[in-house]
Amino acid sequence: MPVLLSELVVFHYFSSMRTTLPFSSFDRLISFPLLFISFATLLATLFLGCRPNVPTYTAQKSEIYSTAAIAGPHPLATEVGEMILKKGGNAIDAAVAVQFAMAVCYPRAGNLGGGGFLVYRAADGDTRTLDYREKAPAAASRDMYLDDEGEVISDLSTLGHLAVGVPGTVAGIEAMFKEYGSLPWPELIEPAIQLARNGYRISQSEADRLNGFQEYFAQMNEQSPWMGDTFLVDQVIVQTELAATLVRIQENGSQGFYQGETARLITKEMEENGGLITAQDLKNYTATWRDPVTANYDNYRIISMPPSSSGGVALTQLLGMVEPYALDSLGFQSAATAQLMVEAERRAYADRAEYLGDSDFYPVPIGKLTDEAYLSERMADFSPDSAGTSADITAGAGLRKESFETTHISIIDSLGNAVSITTTLNGNFGSKVIVDGAGFFLNNEMDDFSAKPGVPNMFGLVGAEANAIAPGKRMLSSMTPTIVEKDGELFMVLGAPGGSTIITAVFQTFLNVAEFGMSLDEAVNAPRFHHQWLPDEIMVEPDALGEQVKATLAAKGYRFRDVGRMAVVKALQVLPDGRLHAVGDGRNPDDDVAGY
Ligand code: DON
């Protein structure tokens, strides 16, 4: 249960080491006198009630590895990945294990009840993507979030049972495992089961998040390890129900989620609370393999996610629109560079709103949108002398203040196979609904549909017919898991959480390396800016664009909005000598890298 003050970390020397998972922790202690350890353990266990087998951790943001590497949102999850890679698992094995681990120790975004996207590049250069995005339930309908006057009912698509799309995560994890996995499935889930059963210590940032969302949890749920008075750093969280759910998946594969007891618990949760997801919806869910969207930029090839994400198409458009300009000589975040990038972003997001949606339901003109001639025509009216204007409407002005969370993992294994996965519940802890008896949060991904043409969702994004709600359809995403080749060889793996700002974060991080000569950690941590057509303003992080640059752009007609932080990139780069630079983003205190 949540509040176990007696379980605060006592072994401070444990917490000073980044690895303390039960199965590997004591490897790193061999330099300590054995006697002292036993004595301290006994004392702590007997008198202080602490749990020496419960992992603690500190995050590491940048490291260079010789063989294999992973960057992710949480040290316990990356630690699981490292362990799998070291025992001979490939990048997909590690991705499977890490995703299950994140479902335990990173509940704000790691998930069983959400969905995601994989971009995969095998060591031989073969590339594929897997779409395991949530789908609208069969009973969903185009106007389900509108009142009698045709207005959007606030919160219906973000909070509670009606906000939930049919989860895709477990089907996706199983599909990638069946195609590429090499270690036994049960072994890959076991670390997550141990974390759920034995518990883990929450970080300060997790405690802050949990405390901030208690009001919503209480509104939606009766009980959960995630509900309590005040969560404290290092408090131990044990998730017995989640452990049992994971065991069902361990024993039965995705059927342990989409059928049987877990499915029964999900449908019960829905039936009792006005949700739409049925047993048939769960049974029908399948993940879909798709060809990636690829872009050439100088001697780079960018491999990214096609619809149902807009990420790959928009990234390709952005790169295509700025490539003709000599960004390196215009300079990093100079007024000229910023203006050019903003104008490219304005155009790409305008196209996103009109043309992007689930390509299984709507004929997204991917070829046309990413065509070189089209992109150059699109920039034909660009003028360095003045700001462009987005449509004369204020629809995008309603950006919500909620903090968002999604998550990303980048992995390269010892053979050179690369995995880029972004996965999400959408908002922090999704719909805030925890499946009673099964112990996991359900997504609020339905908000990524366009509930009504021109009305912004919680990221301020607008959409139209292409992204209208329909039964079985996937809602449009901005997630942009990406892999980059340089001269035909694997060069970068990157992606991020951050809603609509994901696309521009990947865009900027790549350009920071490719055009502005930054090291990967400089590139990831450089302050960013973002324009998404509507609202017609440039969002800026602290320190992004200088005051002088902002004044120059303001004089041309641009408007700015200060934001605390935007997307949180996790990236890997293959260095010229073949070593791997892994970088987590300083924007998330728990971002972490691991490898060997
Ligand atoms: O798919 C999408 O674009 C959103 N559901 C992602 C949400 C997100 O990144 C929230 N994050 N910080």
Side-chain angles (χ1 to χ4, degrees):
M1 291 317 288
V3 184
L4 293 174
L5 288 176
S6 61
E7 292 180 343
L8 294 178
V9 178
V10 174
F11 278 1
H12 290 301
Y13 67 89
F14 273 23
S15 43
S16 68
M17 295 177 298
R18 64 170 304 282
T19 309
T20 55
L21 278 180
F23 35 79
S24 62
S25 58
F26 290 98
D27 305 357
R28 299 200 186 181
L29 287 174
I30 45 177
S31 58
F32 287 80
L34 201 61
L35 196 63
F36 170 73
I37 292 167
S38 314
F39 182 62
T41 306
L42 190 70
L43 264 185
T45 309
L46 287 180
F47 299 112
L48 300 170
C50 96
R51 299 177 176 213
N53 66 335
V54 175
T56 60
Y57 48 84
T58 54
Q60 192 176 347
K61 292 281 181 283
S62 171
E63 193 58 70
I64 293 176
Y65 301 102
S66 59
T67 311
I70 172 166
H74 194 287
L76 292 175
T78 49
E79 179 63 20
V80 166
E82 179 187 330
M83 189 262 299
I84 297 294
L85 290 168
K86 277 184 176 161
K87 66 151 66 162
N90 61 31
I92 290 288
D93 291 323
V96 169
V98 170
Q99 287 177 94
F100 283 121
M102 291 193 305
V104 178
C105 68
Y106 200 68
R108 73 182 91 156
N111 66 82
L112 298 181
F117 298 106
L118 158 75
V119 174
Y120 181 67
R121 182 186 184 278
D124 65 6
D126 194 31
T127 56
R128 287 178 90 187
T129 77
L130 182 65
D131 181 342
Y132 51 107
R133 179 74 159 167
E134 299 90 327
K135 294 181 178 187
S141 57
R142 185 190 186 88
D143 296 336
M144 64 186 276
Y145 299 118
L146 305 186
D147 64 16
D148 292 345
E149 271 78 55
E151 300 302 324
V152 174
I153 305 168
S154 128
D155 282 351
L156 216 50
S157 62
T158 55
L159 183 66
H161 298 74
L162 267 189
V164 185
V166 182
T169 294
V170 178
I173 298 178
E174 184 181 66
M176 67 183 78
F177 173 79
K178 282 190 168 159
E179 198 71 10
Y180 298 109
S182 70
L183 294 182
W185 171 258
E187 257 181 57
L188 302 177
I189 308 185
E190 189 58 27
I193 294 172
Q194 295 302 324
L195 278 172
R197 262 194 204 138
N198 296 336
Y200 80 100
R201 299 178 194 282
I202 57 172
S203 65
Q204 185 63 58
S205 104
E206 196 70 56
D208 293 344
R209 266 335 137 96
L210 289 167
N211 293 332
F213 284 96
Q214 285 305 312
E215 182 194 336
Y216 297 106
F217 295 173
Q219 222 174 308
M220 291 299 146
N221 308 283
E222 307 251 301
Q223 55 84 35
S224 159
W226 300 117
M227 293 163 69
D229 295 336
T230 304
F231 285 82
L232 300 171
V233 63
D234 286 333
Q235 186 171 322
V236 175
I237 305 291
V238 172
Q239 299 174 76
T240 313
E241 290 176 353
L242 179 59
T245 301
L246 288 165
V247 168
R248 288 193 288 275
I249 297 168
Q250 186 181 44
E251 289 172 354
N252 305 303
S254 67
Q255 288 194 10
F257 182 89
Y258 293 96
Q259 297 181 43
E261 179 64 3
T262 315
R264 189 188 69 76
L265 292 167
I266 296 172
T267 45
K268 179 167 173 277
E269 181 70 49
M270 289 288 144
E271 277 161 16
E272 289 176 359
N273 298 283
L276 300 182
I277 297 174
T278 63
Q280 200 57 41
D281 284 324
L282 293 169
K283 214 168 164 185
N284 287 349
Y285 186 88
T286 48
T288 305
W289 290 98
R290 303 184 193 279
D291 290 334
V293 172
T294 58
N296 291 317
Y297 183 95
D298 296 341
N299 53 336
Y300 300 94
R301 180 168 169 258
I302 289 85
I303 302 149
S304 194
M305 197 66 215
S308 58
S309 183
S310 61
V313 169
L315 181 62
T316 302
Q317 290 192 296
L318 292 172
L319 291 169
M321 284 190 266
V322 302
E323 191 184 16
Y325 301 83
L327 287 182
D328 52 348
S329 19
L330 293 178
F332 171 71
Q333 293 195 2
S334 66
T337 298
Q339 184 179 10
L340 178 62
M341 289 168 68
V342 159
E343 290 302 332
E345 290 170 12
R346 186 200 303 283
R347 287 159 176 77
Y349 279 82
D351 281 356
R352 181 194 190 280
E354 183 64 24
Y355 300 115
L356 269 290
D358 181 350
S359 52
D360 292 342
F361 282 71
Y362 184 87
V364 181
I366 299 178
K368 165 88 180 172
L369 289 171
T370 56
D371 177 65
E372 209 177 307
Y374 170 78
L375 294 173
S376 115
E377 187 190 305
R378 202 84 176 88
M379 286 298 271
D381 58 351
F382 163 62
S383 160
D385 299 327
S386 63
T389 49
S390 300
D392 188 25
I393 51 172
T394 54
L399 273 180
R400 295 249 312 245
K401 298 248 178 323
E402 189 190 346
S403 72
F404 309 115
E405 204 55 67
T406 289
T407 192
H408 180 86
I409 47 173
S410 294
I411 306 176
I412 299 177
D413 67 20
S414 63
L415 302 171
N417 300 303
V419 157
S420 191
I421 286 178
T422 313
T423 174
T424 190
L425 290 165
N426 196 21
N428 263 295
F429 309 101
S431 60
K432 326 300 186 244
V433 173
I434 303 164
V435 180
D436 195 26
F440 58 87
F441 284 95
L442 290 168
N443 67 82
N444 58 353
E445 219 72 61
M446 290 295 284
D447 189 65
D448 275 347
F449 277 118
S450 172
K452 180 180 175 181
V455 174
N457 74 357
M458 69 180 180
F459 299 105
L461 292 166
V462 292
E465 181 61 29
N467 191 30
I469 304 171
K473 187 176 177 182
R474 291 177 158 112
M475 54 298 283
L476 184 63
S477 174
S478 301
M479 294 193 279
T480 316
T482 297
I483 295 176
V484 181
E485 292 173 358
K486 183 178 183 182
D487 300 322
E489 302 292 331
L490 178 62
F491 179 63
M492 275 173 93
V493 183
L494 74 165
S500 54
T501 69
I502 294 172
I503 301 165
T504 52
V506 171
F507 176 50
Q508 287 170 86
T509 305
F510 167 72
L511 290 180
N512 288 348
V513 172
E515 289 285 1
F516 304 118
M518 291 186 198
S519 69
L520 192 63
D521 49 358
E522 288 169 335
V524 166
N525 288 295
R528 302 195 204 101
F529 58 93
H530 168 84
H531 194 293
Q532 61 180 45
W533 180 51
L534 294 173
D536 190 355
E537 61 190 13
I538 305 174
M539 287 161 63
V540 276
E541 288 184 330
D543 302 326
L545 309 175
E547 287 312 313
Q548 185 57 48
V549 167
K550 281 199 248 177
T552 306
L553 294 175
K556 292 182 183 185
Y558 291 96
R559 287 183 296 143
F560 295 90
R561 185 157 63 91
D562 294 326
V563 294
R565 60 149 234 216
M566 292 192 270
V568 184
V569 174
K570 296 130 205 12
L572 305 175
Q573 183 183 351
V574 183
L575 299 174
D577 64 5
R579 289 181 306 155
L580 307 171
H581 190 182
V583 174
D585 198 321
R587 292 169 179 83
N588 171 18
D590 294 342
D591 258 28
D592 183 63
V593 299
Y596 68 101

